[in-house]
Amino acid sequence: MLDRIVEFSALLRRHGLRVSLPENMDAAAALELLGVGDKATFKSALRAALVKRAGDTQTFDELFDLYFLGLGTESRRMDEELMRQLGMSPAEFQAMLEEIEKFLENLDGQISALAKALLTGDMGEVERLLREAAGAERSENPGLRVLMFAQGIGDRIGVEGVRIEIENLKALLGRGGAAPEMIEKMAQYAEERLRNLLKLVRELARREADTKDPTRPERERHDYLSQKSFVYYTEDDIRKMNEVVVRLARRFKNRLSLRRKRARRGRLDVSATFRKNLQYGGVPFRIKLEKRRKEKPDVVVLCDISDSVLNASRFMLQFVYSVQDLYSKVRSFVFVSDLDEVTRLFEENEIHQAVEMALRGDVIDVYSHSNFGRAFEIFYREHWTAITPKTTVLVIGDGRNNYNRANDWVLQEIRRKAKQLVWLNPESRMTWGYGDSEMPRYAPHCHVVEECRNIHQLYQLIDRIAA
Amino acid sequence: MFKSVDEVVSRLAEERYIASREVATVVYLAAAMRKPILVEGPAGVGKTELGKVLAGTLKLDLIRLQCYEGLDEAKALYEWEYAKQLLYTQVLKDKIGEVLEGAKGLRQAVERIAQEEDVFFSDRFLLPRPLLSALLAPKPIVLLIDEIDKSDTEFEAFLLEVLSDFQVSVPELGTLKAKHIPLVVLTSNNSREMSDALKRRCLHLYLDFPDAEREMEIIRLKVPGADKKLAAEVVELLHRLRKLDLKKRPSISETLDWVKALTLLNVKSLDDALVTETLSTVMKYEADIRKAQQELKEYLAVRKAKVAQPAATSDKDFLN
């Protein structure tokens, strides 16, 4: 059993779970205590010892079934299917199986083990034979693809032979003296069983390939999203993103509060300590520490929602929404050519709805051409009070201004007044400054200018901005 | 402590805690292997309760450490009673004078004081906090470390020594080793990911909202007077509500509150007008309540359609 566990852990690891040696030992110890008799208990024990993240549970469940349950579920399903096709109740089905068994006993020695197991419904034995063949095939011809592998197993186990045997049997059935409809059913049954056998061979080959092929997990890595550029996001990706966004925002918050906490713990304030302890005759009874002022993050977000950056801004708005959810002092603005505040909209609506409303043009006209200059000017004229010396201003946009006036003096003003000015650009850095991109004029005014094309980059950014 | 998994289930049930087999398996393993359990899951599924009930079942004392941001060793492990030490030195001034009498020069005085030093750093002035009291307890106990995800990473790292070796080092006293290995239950709401090092030392248990059948069982146990049909309806509706995108998903305790409220108001079925008014016991945000009302309407419509079909409408259907 131990080597099975070790092999299973290796399989888990290949699928991105982190399983360490002590955890393997735990699993082994747990099984020693519980035994392997009960399937559910066995599974719970393994999960408790090996899987430590809730998100990995599903992967574990799938792999567990694949690895430990074998073809049992599959063949049970086939039995049910057969009963349905033949229109038989489980009892009738069982009776027929017994009939067949008796019949086969008379032919003793003339029939192969596989055909016998198959026809009497002994699927455990069938699976054993199949696995034997698969093992032999694997060791002789490693590296076969699924189809070739299935072919190899089939040849080895003698599927062709079984086919002939079943044909012969059907001819023999008539001589047994059973009722004609029974004979017909048996013939039909035998044919279906042959088909089942082929199916099982293929299934086994597929599973073997799944569990043994080391390249598979790479192709199915869950976090492929994080490396994918926003531009190529599909509808499906966007839906999946919600969870990622919430995690991101939380990380942002954790980062900031960690910094705040470090700052809060002041050093010993000598003079205050003395003053406080005069009442004890100068003996330092009560210690006084320096107190630092708490800094509440104060964020203003300006988000471009024009067509050119639609997918990115959808993501960014979700992010902004989540950030706003976590902090009290966040003000969010969206712009294309006009600019308006969406703070209230975000407060009052649920995330998807709010984002859709913002993008649909409930607040501003989204069908105009981007005009950063004009939007900045409006911000300066109407919302300038949003900015205080403690504000971090976050601009999200590609800086494509349609050759309008850049008005970069607004950024200059913001920089002068705010604590920090950050620009995130969902375009590749290579393209900045080409065409109508005004990035070279905007960039010098910002403390941080970063390309932010996928979640991975955003992660790194958050660590840098907030740390 | 426990002889088998089944015994865990039945003994927890005696303490009025309905545990699935999976929960029982993990508890059994933890007790037998002397490993801490890390319980994760959404708020209100009975994580903390599990720790408390375990103590009750095993007739052991419970020591609870509530974690929060900024919790440090001094508050979790031990503190020197600084004020008491000072008070003693003040009171014993004369005595100290006696000790120092006849000392030639500072060096000798310091020498003499140093000889008495351990008086002031002894158990007498040590103020044990939950973790240390758990380790020093004269008999086995259950240690519940609640909401570990709220603590800082530094504290989590510090916990590692405690959880793997069940010992702590106090510089002035040396290493203190646990007399009995406590049964440790850590709970986490997953507001941040715990470090792999900590997870490696624990058995992991993910508690999710219970399935309908188990939730019914819980209601039967905790609100004995509840109408069976009503309870079934409530459970079915809540299961639907939990699938919605809510700010706060209704937990088991909220289910119980609601059933209690409805039972008190003598409501027999969910299409009662009072139901909408009591939704606030389940939902804690205005936006959520609005969504819940919508869902309730849909649910009632679906149910009406079901009732219209004569066949197969019994309590069983609601359970499934």
Side-chain angles (χ1 to χ4, degrees):
Chain A
M1 197 65 222
L2 190 63
D3 44 342
R4 291 276 275 170
I5 293 177
V6 171
E7 203 180 301
F8 182 59
S9 310
L11 178 64
L12 288 177
R13 259 181 234 132
R14 280 209 301 274
H15 284 257
L17 273 73
R18 268 174 255 164
V19 182
S20 65
L21 185 62
E23 283 164 326
N24 262 335
M25 283 153 58
D26 283 350
L31 293 182
E32 217 157 272
L33 280 167
L34 289 168
V36 290
D38 180 46
K39 190 190 104 194
T41 313
F42 174 61
K43 192 172 173 183
S44 320
L46 273 193
R47 177 160 44 208
L50 298 178
V51 184
K52 305 290 166 85
R53 264 179 299 185
D56 290 338
T57 319
Q58 205 191 343
T59 319
F60 171 83
D61 284 348
E62 279 168 18
L63 291 176
F64 182 88
D65 289 354
L66 207 64
Y67 191 81
F68 285 108
L69 293 192
L71 300 170
T73 28
E74 193 67 18
S75 53
R76 217 166 305 129
R77 234 194 27 234
M78 284 174 175
D79 276 358
E80 279 163 23
E81 178 78 358
L82 260 175
M83 279 184 240
R84 211 175 44 80
Q85 275 179 356
L86 297 171
M88 285 176 149
S89 70
E92 284 172 331
F93 189 67
Q94 202 54 45
M96 186 182 74
L97 285 186
E98 273 161 29
E99 187 91 353
I100 291 177
E101 201 170 345
K102 250 188 276 162
F103 181 75
L104 291 180
E105 238 147 60
N106 295 335
L107 297 171
D108 211 19
Q110 297 174 40
I111 192 157
S112 69
L114 177 64
K116 190 174 175 192
L118 186 69
L119 288 174
T120 51
D122 185 357
M123 297 318 263
E125 177 66 13
V126 173
E127 187 177 343
R128 200 185 60 76
L129 290 168
L130 279 179
R131 280 197 189 280
E132 230 174 63
E137 181 69 24
R138 169 72 65 196
S139 62
E140 262 177 49
N141 298 319
L144 286 180
R145 315 296 309 181
V146 179
L147 277 178
M148 289 300 288
F149 189 41
Q151 186 76 41
I153 300 175
D155 288 350
R156 202 168 277 273
I157 203 168
V159 172
E160 257 332 288
V162 175
R163 194 195 300 280
I164 295 166
E165 274 177 292
I166 284 180
E167 283 305 318
N168 291 341
L169 269 179
K170 277 201 300 197
L172 285 174
L173 274 173
R175 296 185 211 156
E181 67 262 35
M182 193 62 182
I183 292 174
E184 199 174 309
K185 279 209 170 147
M186 280 187 189
Q188 199 187 341
Y189 167 80
E191 259 170 44
E192 284 301 325
R193 272 298 189 214
L194 183 63
R195 220 163 289 157
N196 284 354
L197 177 65
L198 293 176
K199 243 192 242 169
L200 283 178
V201 168
R202 264 198 308 272
E203 181 67 20
L204 183 73
R206 192 181 64 75
R207 287 187 185 200
E208 285 276 312
D210 271 359
T211 49
K212 303 272 156 63
D213 177 8
T215 60
R216 197 179 90 109
E218 249 68 47
R219 279 182 270 133
E220 291 189 2
R221 260 297 139 68
H222 292 301
D223 57 16
Y224 78 103
L225 260 185
S226 73
Q227 299 286 349
K228 196 170 175 182
S229 171
F230 295 131
V231 184
Y232 303 119
Y233 271 6
T234 60
E235 288 276 314
D236 197 37
D237 291 342
I238 289 169
R239 242 172 290 127
K240 272 187 219 148
M241 225 147 51
N242 200 2
E243 193 192 336
V244 180
V245 167
V246 172
R247 244 197 344 250
L248 258 177
R250 194 162 283 146
R251 186 189 181 92
F252 192 46
K253 181 174 175 165
N254 279 349
R255 276 276 161 190
L256 285 180
S257 69
L258 193 65
R259 188 184 56 173
R260 260 186 295 149
K261 196 160 67 243
R262 278 199 209 114
R264 196 169 61 213
R265 285 185 196 144
R267 288 175 306 174
L268 177 74
D269 186 340
V270 180
S271 54
T273 306
F274 266 111
R275 225 174 302 135
K276 178 110 188 163
N277 285 296
L278 278 178
Q279 50 181 320
Y280 307 119
V283 181
F285 233 53
R286 303 240 181 270
I287 286 178
K288 194 86 183 138
L289 297 175
E290 272 173 7
K291 241 189 208 159
R292 304 254 175 97
R293 247 189 324 159
K294 263 195 213 168
E295 210 176 288
K296 277 194 184 157
D298 179 351
V299 184
V300 168
V301 187
L302 304 179
C303 189
D304 176 13
I305 55 169
S306 63
D307 251 2
S308 55
V309 288
L310 189 65
N311 269 337
S313 48
R314 192 185 297 271
F315 174 76
M316 287 302 183
L317 280 178
Q318 285 190 6
F319 176 63
V320 171
Y321 182 98
S322 310
V323 169
Q324 197 182 306
D325 230 21
L326 290 171
Y327 296 113
S328 46
K329 287 169 93 178
V330 179
R331 292 184 67 179
S332 319
F333 299 86
V334 292
F335 64 88
V336 177
S337 159
D338 286 329
L339 173 141
D340 210 344
E341 186 163 1
V342 288
T343 314
R344 281 292 295 277
L345 183 85
F346 279 10
E347 268 164 19
E348 285 166 2
N349 291 286
E350 173 272 327
I351 180 159
H352 293 292
Q353 215 177 344
V355 169
E356 282 317 310
M357 280 162 90
L359 290 177
R360 201 168 58 202
D362 282 13
V363 202
I364 53 163
D365 176 14
V366 289
Y367 299 107
S368 52
H369 294 290
S370 317
N371 186 340
F372 281 69
R374 180 155 179 271
F376 286 154
E377 206 181 334
I378 296 175
F379 179 75
Y380 183 75
R381 244 189 4 249
E382 292 173 16
H383 302 286
W384 187 242
T385 46
I387 292 183
T388 69
K390 282 192 276 178
T391 314
T392 297
V393 182
L394 193 61
V395 184
I396 301 164
D398 57 3
R400 298 213 167 263
N401 201 18
N402 289 312
Y403 303 105
N404 293 304
R405 263 185 27 213
N407 281 340
D408 49 329
W409 57 269
V410 178
L411 292 187
Q412 203 177 343
E413 284 297 310
I414 292 178
R415 186 191 172 118
R416 200 174 292 157
K417 191 168 176 197
K419 190 172 101 191
Q420 210 176 7
L421 175 58
V422 180
W423 188 302
L424 304 184
N425 192 331
E427 261 191 0
S428 161
R429 201 179 269 273
M430 314 277 286
T431 62
W432 295 2
Y434 287 95
D436 57 348
S437 170
E438 292 284 4
M439 283 317 283
R441 294 184 69 170
Y442 290 141
H445 300 300
C446 307
H447 293 92
V448 181
V449 189
E450 278 301 332
E451 165 187 321
C452 181
R453 291 165 65 204
N454 55 40
I455 297 172
H456 181 68
Q457 283 175 342
L458 190 56
Y459 255 112
Q460 289 182 327
L461 255 171
I462 285 174
D463 284 356
R464 273 199 25 224
I465 298 172
Chain B
M1 291 187 191
F2 296 108
K3 283 194 201 70
S4 69
V5 178
D6 294 305
E7 195 197 328
V8 179
V9 176
S10 62
R11 278 178 66 182
L12 287 181
E14 276 167 35
E15 287 283 318
R16 291 153 60 85
Y17 188 91
I18 311 265
S20 67
R21 242 193 113 69
E22 187 175 354
V23 175
T25 307
V26 179
V27 168
Y28 171 76
L29 284 178
M33 291 164 69
R34 314 249 146 207
K35 284 217 139 211
I37 317 176
L38 173 64
V39 195
E40 288 187 317
V45 290
K47 299 188 291 293
T48 308
E49 194 63 23
L50 180 65
K52 290 192 202 158
V53 165
L54 263 182
T57 320
L58 295 167
K59 306 262 180 317
L60 300 178
D61 285 339
L62 176 77
I63 294 183
R64 179 173 174 170
L65 173 66
Q66 175 72 45
C67 296
Y68 50 86
E69 218 181 281
L71 175 71
D72 55 11
E73 292 135 82
K75 286 173 199 135
L77 192 59
Y78 71 91
E79 243 175 328
W80 288 110
E81 273 191 276
Y82 177 66
K84 198 167 159 192
Q85 284 170 332
L86 259 183
L87 193 68
Y88 272 59
T89 28
Q90 293 293 312
V91 173
L92 296 175
K93 232 178 200 163
D94 300 342
K95 201 74 192 160
I96 292 172
E98 259 173 50
V99 170
L100 291 180
E101 207 164 290
K104 285 190 195 102
L106 275 179
R107 189 176 301 275
Q108 210 172 3
V110 167
E111 215 43 62
R112 283 193 191 172
I113 289 280
Q115 274 170 15
E116 309 286 334
E117 203 174 61
D118 49 352
V119 172
F120 290 102
F121 288 100
S122 60
D123 295 349
R124 191 184 300 278
F125 298 103
L126 193 69
L127 198 65
R129 299 288 185 188
L131 279 182
L132 191 62
S133 6
L135 290 183
L136 297 181
K139 49 187 184 170
I141 51 116
V142 174
L143 173 63
L144 172 62
I145 303 179
D146 212 2
E147 303 195 327
I148 173 85
D149 52 332
K150 298 273 176 3
S151 70
D152 314 312
T153 36
E154 294 92 334
F155 181 73
E156 193 185 324
F158 156 78
L159 263 186
L160 294 179
E161 187 193 0
V162 181
L163 290 184
S164 57
D165 303 334
F166 295 102
Q167 64 174 38
V168 287
S169 332
V170 179
E172 294 87 350
L173 296 179
T175 306
L176 300 174
K177 219 169 163 43
K179 297 195 178 81
H180 304 275
I181 292 178
L183 184 57
V184 185
V185 178
L186 301 111
T187 77
S188 155
N189 274 331
N190 239 339
S191 65
R192 82 183 161 80
E193 186 87 19
M194 310 310 300
S195 73
D196 282 341
L198 181 81
K199 286 181 165 180
R200 206 164 45 230
R201 282 165 175 79
C202 304
L203 291 174
H204 187 265
L205 174 63
Y206 185 77
L207 271 187
D208 209 340
F209 290 114
D211 53 30
E213 217 165 304
R214 222 148 49 80
E215 197 158 12
M216 280 294 291
E217 228 177 296
I218 295 170
I219 293 180
R220 255 203 299 281
L221 198 69
K222 303 267 173 166
V223 196
D227 185 70
K228 223 173 151 190
K229 191 162 151 286
L230 174 77
E233 284 184 15
V234 166
V235 168
E236 205 199 1
L237 178 66
L238 278 168
H239 275 252
R240 292 179 61 143
L241 288 178
R242 280 183 197 138
K243 290 202 190 93
L244 296 181
D245 184 22
L246 299 172
K247 272 192 174 172
K248 185 193 171 307
R249 288 192 292 170
S251 67
I252 300 175
S253 59
E254 275 141 2
T255 313
L256 292 176
D257 284 349
W258 202 29
V259 173
K260 261 181 222 162
L262 292 177
T263 309
L264 274 178
L265 294 169
N266 212 8
V267 174
K268 286 278 176 252
S269 166
L270 279 188
D271 33 26
D272 202 293
L274 280 170
V275 171
T276 323
E277 286 164 33
T278 50
L279 262 185
S280 57
T281 48
V282 192
M283 297 294 167
K284 304 291 156 87
Y285 290 92
E286 191 57 39
D288 285 359
I289 292 183
R290 251 179 286 142
K291 269 188 214 157
Q293 279 168 348
Q294 188 59 33
E295 188 67 20
L296 176 66
K297 247 184 244 157
E298 273 167 37
Y299 167 71
L300 290 176
V302 169
R303 209 192 44 160
K304 224 174 246 166
K306 244 197 233 164
V307 174
Q309 292 171 351
T313 44
S314 63
D315 285 2
K316 244 190 197 152
D317 276 23
F318 293 116
L319 282 179
N320 297 334

